[in-house]
Amino acid sequence: MLHSSFISKSNGTKFPSFASANATLSSFRASSHFQMGLKWSKIAFSSSSGQRLSSKARSRVKHRTANVYGRQARERVLEEEASEMAEATPSFKIFPGQAFPLGASEVDNGINFAIFSQHATAVTLCLSLPQRGELDMLAGGMIEFSLDPNLNKTGDIWHICIEDLPRSNVLYGYRIDGPKDWDKGHRFDSNNILIDPYAKLVEGRRNFGDAKHKLSKFLGTYDFDSLPFDWGEDYKLPNIPERDLVVYEMNVRAFTADESSCLDQDIRGTYAGLIEKIPHLLELGINAVELLPVFEFDEFEFQRRPNPRDHMINTWGYSTINFFAPMSRYGSGGGGAVSASREFKEMVKALHGAGIEVILDVVYNHTNEADDKHPYTTSFRGIDNKVYYMVDLNNEGQLLNFSGCGNTFNCNHPVVMELILDSLRNWVVEYHIDGFRFDLASVLCRGTDGSPLGAPPLIRAIAKDATLSRCKIIAEPWDCGGLYLVGSFPNWDRWAEWNGKYRDDLRRFIKGDPGMKGAFATRVSGSADLYRKNKRKPYHSVNFVIAHDGFTLRDLVSYNFKHNEANGEGGNDGSNDNFSWNCGFEGETDNVDIIALRFRQMKNFHLALMVSQGVPMMLMGDEYGHTRYGNNNSYGHDTALNNFRWQQLNARKSDHFRFFSEVIHYRQKHRVFSHENFLDRSDVTWHEDNWDNPDSKFLAFTLHDKGGGEIYLAFNAHDFFVKVSIPPAPPKRRWFRVVDTNLASPDDFVGEGVPGIGSTYNVAPYSSILLEAK
């Protein structure tokens, strides 16, 4: 039997009614906390026409004592009131529905809802039909439909179809009950209204950081009213070859949230705000953005209970609520989920129109639902915890934690694997995304018991999937359980990797650590020691010195130690292994010599990154020298600590920014920096006979262009000048100085080159040069 119940908004009184599978069922519930177990009278419904039968109001009053949250409460139930309320309730005709597709879908006879739960014993669909424009998603209550396992279940999929539902503006979720055996991995609790994992849109609070709605609930929604998005007649995907990418890692909100962006307040920190700043990206020269997570997340998750981090707002977004829905509060003007989805597409369209690809940082290794001590149940945990998460059945069913965030998504379970694949396909088909960077991707290489797999089914499926075949797929090849797979990530010749060894080796060489010259040479030439296997290419190494987590580039040359006091964890968070050097003073200083050295070191890092074989990635803000004042784990600060400071960009536009931009454009004009295959002896000459001396911190080499051009590079990490012999230029050519990081702007980069280079060059301490044969 399908069951629906009406709950009075004033006192929580519950009036159930019963009808057959095709009956009209309707009721309201204004809260998820009323489970009184009282005896009630029936309200009659038609089982055929969908119209409610008339009934004569009865005035008999029943008294019943109930215990609600430990309190004795006397409930006065007026059956007459129940009948009258039921008469005002909307009417719908119900059908058993179908198992596929999962989620909410439009079918011939209505809206179909389908959800997987292998271990559930009871599933109730909850609907809310708020007035358009209302911010309170539960205004007007919720309609509930209890699904009959004999009629509304196929295999492990529960389903129902409802006729005459609105085609949009409906909020929905599920109550799900099942075994209470924690030691067997179950976490069912029917008090929670849960988000459908396949909801394509999610509604919550409308504005980012709106403290008035700090504890707002999240529900799925759908939109079958809107016309298909118009991508335009002349629209086309950039389809940039992987070897030619220059990636800019960025946060949608932080990019324009600061007042100095000079944007209207309604679009600061939004997809629309990013569109307005595309000219900056083009001037910088990058051709791909890697967006920090843009799946729906709750920025107030740290403030749901007292804890050392309850002053923080999650601005990075590595705490996914749903894998299909764009972050609704990155939409402008508080327009909600449907508007944000459309605005996201406008952003992708505009970036593609500018020749910039869109790569998403995706978090499939864990969710927002935290751990067993302080769970934040919104979806998977309450739907089927034992399926969606890795649990240790040998340890009382405790959650395994390879993510460092309290739970680990059970990625190689067949059902979870298909969910992830469906999510990725949705982003490619619906939103035209060009690629994905997988956070803590080593988690995706673990079996359902957490053990590492040699050939993980999910990793293979992503590599082989037809829909994803045009996409860049990039792994962060480690996790918090110690599974470090840099250079050995299962790849099927498709997967690229964030090259953590590149980051560490470049940092150590540029700051002058002894014994790093050989490692530096290996990294800038494409990390063949890691990636020259099977059919892998240099571009399967995503090279970076700086990423969102860790020091900014300016902080890398300004701090020897992390300064994370503002995070509230006593400095225990964030990495201690930063391979940084403060250039002689910890933190901000007025010393002009130290400041000059720091900016010189930033230029050295940037030059090395942009002349390396592989795909370079830089962090938003490094183009003007953004500082977080030594905080290397700033995920919870919705402030200037993370926000792009446009006034600082303007102040450094003619020097620091100019150098960064010119070097990026120079890379893109010279194919010698982006070889398709690993370098051989005809591609590079190392001007070095001192490889085994750990005290040698100088490296020079020439890259040979088969078209006749040559580029000479030298990096001096000593604290003294090095007079180096310059090799003869090719016949009928001579050397021109393009870069000398020791020189002030604009002489530090001269695109056309400065002639007059003799047989030797005096390379300054902590500096680098680039010469071009013309």
Side-chain angles (χ1 to χ4, degrees), residues 620-730:
M620 175 188 89
D622 282 347
E623 67 266 39
Y624 66 82
H626 182 82
T627 180
R628 296 179 187 146
Y629 303 99
N631 192 321
N632 73 351
N633 195 29
S634 63
Y635 62 93
H637 297 282
D638 188 36
T639 65
L641 201 66
N642 282 313
N643 292 345
F644 195 99
R645 310 297 297 279
W646 293 90
Q647 79 277 20
Q648 293 186 17
L649 170 69
N650 293 333
R652 308 236 43 123
K653 203 71 178 283
S654 63
D655 44 44
H656 186 82
F657 172 82
R658 174 187 173 274
F659 181 87
F660 271 54
S661 173
E662 293 283 12
V663 170
I664 293 172
H665 285 286
Y666 189 83
R667 173 189 173 88
Q668 293 183 331
K669 292 175 184 175
H670 293 79
R671 306 291 293 176
V672 72
F673 302 124
S674 54
H675 280 256
E676 177 75 17
N677 297 303
F678 289 97
L679 303 182
D680 58 31
R681 295 191 179 191
S682 66
D683 297 315
V684 61
T685 298
W686 302 99
H687 306 296
E688 184 58 57
D689 56 9
N690 205 12
W691 290 106
D692 297 327
N693 181 1
D695 295 325
S696 176
K697 305 173 186 178
F698 182 91
L699 181 68
F701 57 97
T702 299
L703 295 173
H704 305 292
D705 184 343
K706 292 180 171 59
E710 296 199 344
I711 290 175
Y712 173 91
L713 288 143
F715 292 85
N716 181 17
H718 287 290
D719 57 1
F720 52 81
F721 278 88
V722 173
K723 188 174 183 179
V724 60
S725 296
I726 304 299

Side-chain angles (χ1 to χ4, degrees), residues 2 4 11 37 76 98 140 181 200 214 255 257 316 324 344 368 470 543 588 717:
L2 289 167
S4 73
N11 61 15
R76 292 176 52 86
Q98 60 194 45
D181 307 304
K200 300 304 188 296
K214 183 183 298 185
F255 192 48
W316 284 2
F324 291 84
F344 187 99
N368 68 296
R470 70 169 183 82
N543 301 326
E588 298 295 299

